[in-house]
Amino acid sequence: MFTSVLMIEKPLTSEDVEFVTTLHGAEGVSFVVLMQPRGDQADVLLRAIDDVAIGELKDAVREGEEPAGQAAKPLADRALEHSLALLRAAGCEAVGQVVEDHPLDKMKAVVDESDADEVIVLTEPHYVEEFFHRDWASRARHKVGVPVLKLFAHSE
């Protein structure tokens, strides 16, 4: 069985699930999902710039309203449970947790503990961070010791 650590920032869509579950053909896949709440990521200004870059001006204005810290935890828990249910319904093994501190340290620990074969970072585009190689995928490539795949999440 192929083991993937899947880092997400919002609930998976059915398109996301189809995408990640078919990456390895007929081989069985087990997922360890790490949910990092969007409000706990990079600062509000960078997220707003990303929204403007993709033409989502309304989202840019609302970035300051994104829950963070303890306020984000219940939403993140629901997003994680929804995502795990979709992966399991697709026939995959799936466990997960909400990341509260230091997402890259947690990712490294989970890769080591689960003997993962790869990391998949499935997020919205983060143009500023990606340009400066400060996004999760770029930073993880130097830390986790397994291949890291960067994919863009679908929206519903």
Side-chain angles (χ1 to χ4, degrees):
M1 173 138 331
F2 200 85
T3 302
S4 295
V5 173
L6 177 60
M7 181 70 123
I8 61 174
E9 62 186 357
K10 66 178 196 166
L12 295 175
T13 65
S14 55
E15 292 88 357
D16 293 330
V17 171
E18 183 177 354
F19 196 28
V20 299
T21 59
T22 59
L23 286 171
H24 301 290
E27 187 171 0
V29 182
S30 170
F31 290 95
V32 180
V33 181
L34 299 177
M35 172 70 193
Q36 172 70 42
R38 183 169 162 83
D40 287 349
Q41 297 173 29
D43 72 32
V44 174
L45 178 60
L46 290 180
R47 292 195 322 254
I49 291 170
D50 286 338
D51 291 334
V52 170
I54 61 172
E56 299 293 338
L57 300 179
K58 290 179 183 176
D59 290 343
V61 172
R62 289 192 300 266
E63 280 298 346
E65 300 168 7
E66 192 79 38
Q70 286 304 106
K73 181 93 168 76
L75 296 171
D77 287 336
R78 284 195 300 275
L80 176 63
E81 288 307 315
H82 169 80
S83 300
L84 294 175
L86 286 178
L87 288 167
R88 291 174 185 145
C92 297
E93 293 179 14
V95 297
Q97 60 186 289
V98 173
V99 177
E100 296 185 42
D101 295 309
H102 310 290
L104 291 174
D105 291 341
K106 176 53 89 177
M107 184 187 296
K108 171 69 172 145
V110 168
V111 165
D112 292 344
E113 290 166 12
S114 65
D115 197 26
D117 298 294
E118 70 180 356
V119 169
I120 301 171
V121 177
L122 183 71
T123 64
E124 297 287 328
H126 297 290
Y127 297 112
V128 175
E129 291 175 338
E130 289 167 16
F131 180 79
F132 291 107
H133 304 285
R134 300 302 305 154
D135 60 299
W136 289 336
S138 296
R139 292 171 36 209
R141 286 185 181 105
H142 302 286
K143 187 166 187 129
V144 297
V146 297
V148 176
L149 180 60
K150 167 70 173 152
L151 301 174
F152 291 120
H154 292 80
S155 296
E156 280 190 326

